[in-house]
Amino acid sequence: GHRHDSKTEAVRCNELHDEQAAGVISDIVVHPKYWFWINGVQLKHPGGRRIGITADWAYLDNTTGATVVEDRKGMRTRDYVLRVAIFRALYPEIEFRETRA
């Protein structure tokens, strides 16, 4: 019981659930949030809203043992590119995968 922003995102979600059923991946989380902290300080907008990234999925790739965060993109905005760069710098232990629509 969850919703997706696009049909291509819903199709990819179904593919991931099929991969989970086959044992290729496990522990799927839909729309995981990762907040940005630098030197122990949480990044916030001037109004106090936290800064981070919400991906489409997170899961464990059972073939490699890697924790993966995946985002399905049709169009890459400047904001998105910046957030992904910050995510990769702050969470180097997590593999970020972008799939294209």
Side-chain angles (χ1 to χ4, degrees):
H2 54 268
R3 301 180 73 74
H4 294 286
D5 294 335
S6 69
K7 288 181 183 179
T8 60
E9 192 178 304
V11 168
R12 180 61 182 146
C13 190
N14 288 337
E15 292 171 355
L16 289 172
H17 281 89
D18 289 345
E19 290 180 25
Q20 180 169 261
V24 177
I25 66 172
S26 58
D27 304 324
I28 295 175
V29 176
V30 178
H31 298 134
K33 295 183 185 315
Y34 295 87
W35 302 113
F36 297 158
W37 291 75
I38 297 177
N39 295 328
V41 177
Q42 187 172 37
L43 299 183
K44 294 183 180 182
H45 290 275
R49 190 168 48 107
R50 296 178 293 175
I51 299 173
I53 191 169
T54 301
D56 292 325
W57 306 278
Y59 53 87
L60 178 64
D61 183 333
N62 294 331
T63 61
T64 64
T67 298
V68 176
V69 167
E70 183 176 320
D71 209 45
R72 182 80 164 182
K73 276 295 164 215
M75 185 179 84
R76 301 170 91 211
T77 64
R78 284 190 320 183
D79 180 64
Y80 169 77
V81 172
L82 180 60
R83 287 176 190 270
V84 170
I86 294 169
F87 175 88
R88 285 183 167 141
L90 295 177
Y91 297 94
E93 71 282 3
I94 301 175
E95 182 180 336
F96 190 92
R97 294 181 187 168
E98 179 182 315
T99 56
R100 304 291 283 175

